[in-house]
Amino acid sequence: YFGYDKVSSGFSFYRSSVGEGVMARTIDREAMSYQLAARYYVVTGDEADATNALAAEGDLRDAIDKASRDMTDGTRRKAISDLSNRFEKFSKVFAQILDLKRDNFRYAANELQRGGSMLRQRLEDLADSATLADMGSLNVGAKEAGTQFVAASANVNMFVTRHDNLTANGAESRLKMIETTLTSLHADDAQIKKKISGIIEQLTTYR
């Protein structure tokens, strides 16, 4: 984020150098839009916000390039050149942030997908084991936990795509319901007890 202050100071210097001309106002407007869009993406991590930030970056680059071509005054051309250099530095920093966030997203999505698939399989296995052991109530509870997990994993996947509190709270609430369901299951069979404990442990890791 060090680039923000440097670019802001460059924009201020540009304003004081070239006054209130049309090009100055255009650059001011596009610079503000770009900085706000970039900051918003850093907070949300949403790919749609990344698209908006990159579009704003392109608009600002076009405005700076046009000013570079049209300015004739030497002092003003230097101000534009300095601003262009600062902008390019900032855009490189933003590109690095974008790559890092996208890499983190892919890693988190892959880990959650693997963890979710394993949990679903273990819940199905628990239900099958209960059926073979003729434990009707355990079978019903395991299937209920499986159904709850389908809804919970959908919320988790939504949260990975777009980080908002409503989705996060929904996922957390459903995962707690699954944990409550699993802890309420009772069995005398040692192997089935071990399966239930393992699922609860993995569910905690998934959360």
Side-chain angles (χ1 to χ4, degrees):
Y1 305 125
F2 295 118
Y4 281 121
D5 291 337
K6 293 180 180 178
V7 173
S8 296
S9 64
F11 294 151
S12 298
F13 177 66
Y14 176 77
R15 283 195 294 269
S16 64
S17 298
V18 302
E20 297 296 326
V22 173
M23 285 183 286
R25 289 195 297 272
T26 299
I27 290 178
D28 276 346
R29 183 182 65 250
E30 301 301 348
M32 181 65 69
S33 296
Y34 178 38
Q35 290 187 87
L36 288 176
R39 288 178 187 270
Y40 193 66
Y41 167 72
V42 169
V43 173
T44 67
D46 193 306
E47 193 61 28
D49 296 326
T51 300
N52 291 337
L54 291 173
E57 179 181 286
D59 290 340
L60 177 55
R61 178 175 282 108
D62 290 344
I64 292 174
D65 288 346
K66 185 177 187 308
S68 298
R69 292 192 304 270
D70 295 347
M71 282 291 178
T72 57
D73 180 82
T75 301
R76 294 179 179 181
R77 287 182 64 84
K78 184 179 185 307
I80 289 292
S81 177
D82 290 343
L83 177 59
S84 178
N85 290 336
R86 292 175 185 274
F87 165 72
E88 292 301 334
K89 288 178 182 178
F90 176 74
S91 63
K92 287 179 182 178
V93 171
F94 181 66
Q96 292 171 354
I97 294 172
L98 193 63
D99 288 343
L100 180 61
K101 278 191 167 286
R102 284 172 170 169
D103 287 344
N104 288 342
F105 167 79
R106 283 191 290 268
Y107 175 79
N110 289 337
E111 288 295 302
L112 285 169
Q113 185 176 20
R114 281 195 292 267
S117 296
M118 188 175 294
L119 273 169
R120 282 192 295 273
Q121 291 171 6
R122 294 180 75 168
L123 286 167
E124 290 171 0
D125 177 64
L126 178 61
D128 291 342
S129 297
T131 299
L132 292 174
D134 197 24
M135 298 177 179
S137 60
L138 180 61
N139 176 269
V140 171
K143 287 184 175 179
E144 180 184 347
T147 300
Q148 291 170 343
F149 185 74
V150 170
S153 61
N155 275 12
V156 169
N157 292 334
M158 285 176 60
F159 177 72
V160 172
T161 303
R162 183 173 184 85
H163 305 170
D164 67 84
N165 290 333
L166 183 62
T167 303
N169 291 338
E172 179 66 16
S173 176
R174 290 182 182 277
L175 291 172
K176 284 182 178 178
M177 287 174 59
I178 297 169
E179 184 177 9
T180 300
T181 299
L182 290 171
T183 54
S184 70
L185 300 179
H186 299 289
D188 294 328
D189 186 282
Q191 286 299 109
I192 292 180
K193 282 184 177 180
K194 185 177 180 180
K195 287 182 179 182
I196 295 172
S197 297
I199 293 172
I200 292 174
E201 183 179 344
Q202 187 176 354
L203 182 65
T204 301
T205 301
Y206 182 80
R207 287 172 60 187

